[in-house]
Amino acid sequence: MMSTAKFITLEGSEGAGKTTALNVIKATLDCWGVTYVITREPGGEKNAEAIRELLLHSEHLESTTELLLMFAARNEHLEKVIRPNLAQDIWVVSDRFVDASFAYQGTGRGIAWSTLEYFENMVVGDTQPDLTLYLDVDPEVGLKRAADRSEKDRIEKENLVFFENIRQGYLKRLKQFPQRIKKINANRDIAAVTQQIIHELEKAREQRVL
Ligand code: Z5A
């Protein structure tokens, strides 16, 4: 029998509130009685986690190196975690996936969209998410929230303009894939954000997207 497991991804820039959103997704899937794994990018698998370490804590990385490492980690993650779980009818929820590469390496670092599409075709193929929740936050609001947290990694140390570009990248992806990507207004308080996430999940369930 064909697997009916679904693939959900969560996206957003710095301080968007992905941790809270992930807990809302988990609670909703528990309510639905679904079996799932939670994973993340970059990382989610032994080799990919080693690459994550390089990506987030190297002193400097060339943009092309960053791009290649993101997709190398993604390939390990897809082959060893995402596809095997989906094939066993286990849902997969990933904290970030390929849209992040378009936003961070694409509009963030200035790598051509067509280059990203080339790697997307090669590595992701048709293993695209069924639903992506994109937490859209004003970069100033997000950076203010994130400032109160622990020490910043290499990417988090970037400036406001970088995070504004990232937002534009996500909005461009949203325009390209309005059926798959749903924008959550993450500028509001946690209760309002939570309510919209639950609404999008339930709507997707009703429409048999999930
Ligand atoms: N990256 C990339 O460049 N290319 C790629 O292809 C991929 C990733 C896949 C690691 O990601 C880095 O890799 C990331 C993008 C890049 N770099 N950056 N920036 P990560 O996901 O591991 O790291 P992160 O972006 O720093 O995410 P995070 O810390 O896990 O989540 P967050 O959304 O930034 O923040 P949060 O911890 O959920 O919330 C921040 C604070 O705000 C916290 O204290 C909350 O309690 C508070 N909060 C949350 N929501 C609200 C609301 N609504 N109101 C008020 N306060 C709130």
Side-chain angles (χ1 to χ4, degrees):
M1 231 175 55
M2 271 220 342
S3 166
T4 55
K6 302 295 180 186
F7 181 22
I8 302 173
T9 60
L10 186 59
E11 299 282 356
S13 71
E14 189 60 6
K18 288 191 292 98
T19 310
T20 315
L22 210 52
N23 288 332
V24 177
I25 296 174
K26 280 196 235 172
T28 306
L29 296 188
D30 287 340
C31 229
W32 292 351
V34 160
T35 310
Y36 61 90
V37 291
I38 300 282
T39 185
R40 69 170 179 183
E41 286 205 351
E45 183 279 336
K46 195 164 156 260
N47 296 329
E49 286 290 332
I51 299 173
R52 177 188 175 92
E53 201 43 41
L54 254 175
L55 275 162
L56 299 190
H57 302 295
S58 297
E59 213 159 272
H60 171 78
L61 281 179
E62 294 299 325
S63 298
T64 304
T65 312
E66 191 178 88
L67 168 82
L68 294 170
L69 289 175
M70 286 293 174
F71 274 96
R74 180 162 299 129
N75 195 51
E76 289 294 292
H77 188 214
L78 274 157
E79 287 293 338
K80 294 173 181 167
V81 175
I82 299 177
R83 291 186 183 119
N85 274 291
L86 292 173
Q88 286 175 58
D89 239 345
I90 298 168
W91 290 37
V92 176
V93 180
S94 185
D95 181 348
R96 296 194 189 281
F97 189 59
V98 73
D99 298 310
S101 294
F102 282 85
Y104 283 79
Q105 283 65 56
T107 41
R109 300 285 189 222
I111 292 175
W113 213 250
S114 55
T115 303
L116 286 149
E117 284 168 341
Y118 173 83
F119 283 108
E120 180 183 37
N121 285 337
M122 182 201 257
V123 172
V124 178
D126 58 8
T127 315
Q128 283 288 352
D130 295 287
L131 178 74
T132 297
L133 298 177
Y134 162 56
L135 302 175
D136 181 54
V137 71
D138 184 317
E140 275 193 54
V141 174
L143 287 176
K144 211 160 162 210
R145 284 181 194 159
D148 302 333
R149 279 185 323 198
S150 54
E151 212 181 309
K152 291 188 183 321
D153 64 43
R154 188 179 57 82
I155 299 175
E156 286 169 342
K157 286 179 187 151
E158 292 290 344
N159 61 24
L160 188 61
V161 174
F162 179 73
F163 288 104
E164 266 159 8
N165 289 339
I166 282 166
R167 187 186 199 188
Q168 292 315 311
Y170 275 124
L171 294 175
K172 185 169 169 186
R173 279 294 269 187
L174 180 77
K175 236 179 176 173
Q176 275 188 298
F177 303 104
Q179 297 300 327
R180 169 174 68 83
I181 308 177
K182 300 298 169 195
K183 182 168 92 168
I184 308 289
N185 177 355
N187 293 306
R188 299 165 303 161
D189 63 29
I190 291 177
V193 175
T194 299
Q195 206 177 19
Q196 197 190 344
I197 293 171
I198 295 171
H199 172 75
E200 290 298 347
L201 289 169
E202 284 178 347
K203 198 167 75 184
R205 188 77 163 158
E206 264 169 43
Q207 294 172 346
R208 298 181 180 273
V209 169
L210 293 184

